[in-house]
Coordinates of all heavy atoms in Angstrom, one line a residue:
L529 N 70.4 -108.1 17.1 CA 69.0 -108.2 16.9 C 68.2 -108.0 18.0 O 67.2 -107.4 18.1 CB 68.7 -109.7 16.4 CG 69.3 -110.0 15.0 CD1 69.4 -111.4 14.8 CD2 68.4 -109.5 13.9
K532 N 67.9 -104.2 18.4 CA 66.9 -103.7 17.5 C 65.5 -104.1 17.9 O 64.6 -103.2 17.8 CB 67.2 -104.3 16.1 CG 66.3 -103.8 15.1 CD 66.5 -102.4 14.7 CE 65.7 -101.9 13.5 NZ 65.9 -100.5 13.2
S533 N 65.3 -105.2 18.6 CA 63.9 -105.6 19.1 C 63.6 -104.6 20.2 O 62.4 -104.2 20.3 CB 63.9 -107.0 19.6 OG 64.7 -107.1 20.8
Q534 N 64.6 -104.2 21.1 CA 64.3 -103.3 22.1 C 63.9 -102.0 21.7 O 62.9 -101.3 22.3 CB 65.5 -103.1 23.1 CG 65.8 -104.4 23.9 CD 67.1 -104.3 24.7 OE1 68.1 -104.8 24.3 NE2 67.0 -103.5 25.8
E536 N 62.6 -101.3 18.6 CA 61.2 -101.4 18.0 C 60.1 -101.4 19.1 O 59.0 -100.7 18.9 CB 61.1 -102.5 17.2 CG 62.1 -102.5 15.9 CD 61.6 -101.4 15.0 OE1 60.5 -100.9 15.0 OE2 62.3 -101.2 14.0
Y537 N 60.3 -102.0 20.2 CA 59.4 -102.2 21.3 C 59.1 -100.7 21.9 O 57.9 -100.5 22.2 CB 59.9 -103.1 22.4 CG 58.9 -103.2 23.5 CD1 57.8 -104.2 23.5 CD2 58.9 -102.4 24.6 CE1 56.9 -104.4 24.4 CE2 58.0 -102.6 25.7 CZ 57.0 -103.6 25.5 OH 56.1 -103.6 26.5
N541 N 56.2 -100.6 18.1 CA 56.2 -101.5 16.8 C 56.3 -103.0 17.4 O 57.4 -103.6 17.2 CB 57.3 -101.2 15.8 CG 57.2 -99.8 15.4 OD1 56.1 -99.1 15.4 ND2 58.3 -99.1 15.2
Y542 N 55.2 -103.5 17.9 CA 55.4 -104.8 18.7 C 55.6 -106.0 17.7 O 56.3 -107.0 18.0 CB 54.1 -105.1 19.5 CG 53.9 -104.0 20.5 CD1 52.6 -103.3 20.5 CD2 54.9 -103.7 21.4 CE1 52.5 -102.3 21.5 CE2 54.7 -102.7 22.4 CZ 53.5 -102.0 22.4 OH 53.3 -101.0 23.2
M543 N 55.0 -105.9 16.5 CA 55.2 -107.0 15.4 C 56.7 -107.0 15.1 O 57.3 -108.1 15.0 CB 54.4 -106.7 14.2 CG 54.3 -107.8 13.3 SD 53.2 -109.2 13.8 CE 51.6 -108.6 13.6
E544 N 57.3 -105.9 14.9 CA 58.7 -105.8 14.4 C 59.6 -106.3 15.5 O 60.5 -106.9 15.4 CB 59.0 -104.5 13.9 CG 58.3 -104.0 12.5 CD 57.0 -103.4 12.7 OE1 56.6 -103.5 13.9 OE2 56.4 -103.1 11.7
A545 N 59.2 -105.7 16.7 CA 60.0 -106.0 17.9 C 60.0 -107.6 18.1 O 61.2 -108.1 18.4 CB 59.3 -105.4 19.3
R546 N 58.8 -108.2 18.1 CA 58.9 -109.7 18.2 C 59.7 -110.3 17.1 O 60.4 -111.3 17.5 CB 57.4 -110.2 18.2 CG 57.3 -111.6 18.5 CD 55.9 -112.2 18.6 NE 55.3 -112.1 17.2 CZ 54.0 -112.2 17.0 NH1 53.3 -112.6 18.1 NH2 53.4 -112.1 15.8
E547 N 59.6 -109.9 15.9 CA 60.3 -110.4 14.8 C 61.9 -110.5 15.1 O 62.6 -111.6 15.0 CB 60.0 -109.9 13.5 CG 60.8 -110.4 12.4 CD 60.5 -111.9 12.1 OE1 59.5 -112.3 12.4 OE2 61.5 -112.5 11.5
F548 N 62.4 -109.3 15.5 CA 63.8 -109.2 15.7 C 64.2 -110.1 16.9 O 65.2 -110.8 16.9 CB 64.2 -107.8 15.9 CG 64.3 -107.0 14.6 CD1 63.4 -106.0 14.4 CD2 65.2 -107.3 13.7 CE1 63.5 -105.3 13.1 CE2 65.3 -106.6 12.5 CZ 64.5 -105.5 12.2
A549 N 63.3 -109.9 17.9 CA 63.6 -110.8 19.2 C 63.6 -112.2 18.9 O 64.4 -113.0 19.5 CB 62.7 -110.4 20.2
S550 N 62.7 -112.7 18.1 CA 62.6 -114.2 17.9 C 63.8 -114.6 17.1 O 64.3 -115.8 17.3 CB 61.3 -114.5 17.1 OG 61.2 -113.9 15.9
Q551 N 64.2 -113.8 16.1 CA 65.5 -114.0 15.4 C 66.7 -114.3 16.4 O 67.5 -115.1 16.3 CB 65.8 -113.0 14.4 CG 64.9 -113.0 13.1 CD 65.3 -112.0 12.2 OE1 66.5 -111.9 11.8 NE2 64.4 -111.3 11.8
A552 N 66.8 -113.4 17.3 CA 67.9 -113.3 18.4 C 67.8 -114.6 19.1 O 68.8 -115.3 19.3 CB 67.8 -112.1 19.2
V553 N 66.7 -115.0 19.6 CA 66.4 -116.2 20.5 C 66.8 -117.5 19.7 O 67.4 -118.4 20.1 CB 65.1 -116.4 21.0 CG1 64.8 -117.6 21.7 CG2 64.8 -115.2 22.0
G554 N 66.4 -117.3 18.3 CA 66.6 -118.5 17.5 C 68.1 -118.8 17.2 O 68.6 -120.0 17.1
A562 N 65.8 -110.7 24.9 CA 65.2 -111.1 23.6 C 63.9 -111.8 23.9 O 62.9 -111.6 23.4 CB 66.0 -111.6 22.6
K563 N 64.1 -112.9 24.8 CA 62.9 -113.5 25.2 C 61.7 -112.8 25.8 O 60.6 -112.8 25.6 CB 63.2 -114.8 26.2 CG 63.9 -115.9 25.5 CD 64.2 -117.0 26.5 CE 65.0 -118.1 25.9 NZ 65.3 -119.1 26.7
M564 N 62.2 -111.8 26.6 CA 61.2 -111.0 27.3 C 60.5 -110.0 26.3 O 59.3 -109.8 26.3 CB 62.0 -109.9 28.3 CG 62.5 -110.6 29.5 SD 63.2 -109.3 30.6 CE 63.8 -110.4 31.9
V565 N 61.3 -109.5 25.3 CA 60.8 -108.6 24.4 C 59.8 -109.5 23.4 O 58.7 -109.0 23.1 CB 61.8 -107.9 23.5 CG1 61.2 -107.2 22.3 CG2 62.8 -107.0 24.2
A566 N 60.2 -110.6 23.0 CA 59.3 -111.5 22.3 C 58.1 -111.8 22.9 O 57.0 -111.7 22.3 CB 60.0 -112.7 21.8
G567 N 58.2 -112.1 24.2 CA 57.0 -112.5 25.0 C 56.0 -111.4 25.3 O 54.9 -111.5 25.1
V568 N 56.5 -110.2 25.6 CA 55.7 -109.1 26.0 C 55.1 -108.6 24.7 O 54.0 -108.2 24.7 CB 56.5 -108.0 26.8 CG1 55.6 -106.8 27.1 CG2 56.9 -108.6 28.2
S569 N 55.9 -108.6 23.6 CA 55.4 -108.0 22.4 C 54.1 -108.9 22.0 O 53.1 -108.4 21.5 CB 56.4 -108.1 21.3 OG 57.5 -107.1 21.6
S570 N 54.4 -110.3 22.1 CA 53.2 -111.2 21.8 C 52.0 -110.9 22.6 O 50.8 -110.9 22.2 CB 53.7 -112.6 21.9 OG 54.7 -112.9 21.1
Y571 N 52.3 -110.6 23.9 CA 51.1 -110.3 24.9 C 50.4 -109.0 24.5 O 49.4 -108.9 24.4 CB 51.7 -110.1 26.2 CG 50.8 -109.6 27.3 CD1 49.8 -110.6 27.8 CD2 50.7 -108.3 27.8 CE1 48.9 -110.2 28.8 CE2 49.9 -108.0 28.8 CZ 49.0 -108.8 29.3 OH 48.1 -108.5 30.2
K572 N 51.3 -108.0 23.9 CA 50.7 -106.8 23.4 C 49.8 -107.0 22.2 O 48.9 -106.2 21.9 CB 51.8 -105.7 23.1 CG 52.6 -105.2 24.4 CD 51.7 -104.2 25.1 CE 52.6 -103.6 26.3 NZ 51.8 -102.5 27.0
L573 N 50.2 -108.1 21.4 CA 49.5 -108.3 20.2 C 48.4 -109.3 20.5 O 47.8 -109.7 19.5 CB 50.5 -109.0 19.2 CG 51.6 -108.0 18.6 CD1 52.6 -108.7 17.8 CD2 51.0 -106.9 17.8
D574 N 48.2 -109.6 21.7 CA 47.1 -110.4 22.1 C 47.2 -111.8 21.6 O 46.3 -112.6 21.3 CB 45.7 -109.9 21.7 CG 44.6 -110.5 22.6 OD1 44.7 -110.8 23.8 OD2 43.5 -110.6 22.0
E575 N 48.5 -112.3 21.5 CA 48.8 -113.7 21.1 C 49.4 -114.4 22.4 O 50.6 -114.5 22.5 CB 49.8 -113.7 19.9 CG 49.1 -113.1 18.6 CD 50.2 -113.0 17.5 OE1 51.2 -113.7 17.6 OE2 49.7 -112.4 16.4
L576 N 48.4 -114.8 23.2 CA 48.8 -115.3 24.5 C 49.6 -116.5 24.6 O 50.4 -116.7 25.4 CB 47.6 -115.3 25.4 CG 46.8 -114.0 25.5 CD1 45.5 -114.2 26.6 CD2 47.6 -112.8 25.9
E577 N 49.3 -117.5 23.8 CA 49.9 -118.7 23.7 C 51.4 -118.5 23.4 O 52.3 -119.1 24.0 CB 49.3 -119.8 22.7 CG 47.9 -120.3 23.1 CD 48.1 -121.4 24.3 OE1 49.1 -121.6 24.8 OE2 47.0 -121.8 24.6
Q578 N 51.7 -117.7 22.4 CA 53.0 -117.4 22.0 C 53.8 -116.7 23.2 O 54.9 -117.0 23.4 CB 53.0 -116.5 20.7 CG 54.4 -116.6 19.9 CD 54.3 -116.1 18.6 OE1 53.1 -115.8 18.0 NE2 55.4 -116.1 17.8
A579 N 53.1 -115.7 23.8 CA 53.7 -114.9 24.9 C 54.1 -115.9 26.0 O 55.1 -115.8 26.5 CB 52.6 -113.9 25.3
Y582 N 57.3 -118.0 25.4 CA 58.5 -117.2 25.5 C 58.9 -116.8 27.0 O 60.0 -116.8 27.4 CB 58.4 -115.8 24.8 CG 58.7 -115.9 23.4 CD1 57.7 -115.6 22.3 CD2 59.9 -116.3 22.7 CE1 57.9 -115.7 20.9 CE2 60.2 -116.4 21.5 CZ 59.2 -116.0 20.5 OH 59.4 -116.2 19.2

Side-chain angles (χ1 to χ4, degrees):
L529 289 164
K532 184 67 176 175
S533 74
Q534 289 176 258
E536 293 292 351
Y537 181 85
N541 303 325
Y542 303 123
M543 189 73 76
E544 292 81 359
R546 185 178 64 187
E547 177 60 29
F548 284 114
S550 63
Q551 286 182 49
V553 173
K563 286 183 180 178
M564 288 184 181
V565 174
V568 179
S569 296
S570 296
Y571 178 73
K572 293 283 188 180
L573 293 166
D574 202 26
E575 295 179 10
L576 302 186
E577 289 284 5
Q578 199 164 0
Y582 279 117

